[in-house]
Amino acid sequence: MIDTFVSTTQVVALSSGEAEFYAIITTYIEALFLQNLLLELGYDLDIMVYSDSAAARGICRRSGVGKVKHLSIKIMWIQTKLKNKDLALDAVDGTKNPADLGTKNHTIEEHETMCRRNLMHFVRGEDQNDDDQDDDEDYYED
């Protein structure tokens, strides 16, 4: 993994599909930056973005704004890039989406599974005020 982040959008979306669309745009912008950086280092890599939002993928793949009339034309470049196969977009199962690690509440077991799936190690922090912490498991291992 080269880069990961969680951020809030700078645009107010009127639907969850629109919010996910803005997230796809932001992800592509970050990916294009990393692609160019790696190209300077001699690595020519393709970009593949995954989204668990069918609505957002639909906005990306259609031509024009469709029913979402208030979308800015300046962000519709993604439709041309996808049509020309300069970028790739695919679906990811919402229960397996690594982006959910930073945005949704999960049980410890779900969180641990998602971390492992993304080659991360889940470590449980210790509560400094908990006198009974010796009875608890300090961490989870594979």
Side-chain angles (χ1 to χ4, degrees), residues 73-92:
I73 296 299
K74 69 181 181 181
I75 60 172
M76 302 314 286
W77 58 268
I78 193 167
Q79 293 175 342
T80 304
K81 290 286 191 183
L82 287 169
K83 185 177 180 181
N84 294 341
K85 300 191 185 315
D86 295 329
L87 301 174
L89 176 65
D90 205 355
V92 63

Side-chain angles (χ1 to χ4, degrees), residues 2-3 14 16 22 31 40 45-46 63 65 77 87 105 114 122 130:
I2 296 172
D3 185 31
L14 301 180
S16 61
Y22 291 133
E40 290 290 324
L45 303 174
D46 294 327
S63 181
V65 296
W77 58 268
L87 301 174
N105 291 326
M114 290 181 84
F122 177 71
D130 186 1

Side-chain angles (χ1 to χ4, degrees), residues 105-142:
N105 291 326
H106 299 284
T107 65
I108 290 174
E109 292 78 18
E110 290 169 334
H111 194 87
E112 182 182 20
T113 299
M114 290 181 84
C115 285
R116 251 196 242 118
R117 188 177 297 128
N118 292 287
L119 305 176
M120 293 184 258
H121 182 71
F122 177 71
V123 178
R124 182 176 170 193
E126 297 179 17
D127 184 356
Q128 298 298 320
N129 297 324
D130 186 1
D131 294 334
D132 297 328
Q133 64 187 8
D134 293 334
D135 297 335
D136 297 334
E137 263 188 346
D138 290 332
Y139 63 93
Y140 297 86
E141 294 188 31
D142 295 331

Side-chain angles (χ1 to χ4, degrees), residues 49-65:
V49 171
Y50 294 91
S51 173
D52 61 0
S53 172
R57 292 190 313 271
I59 294 170
C60 290
R61 290 189 174 125
R62 70 173 159 239
S63 181
V65 296

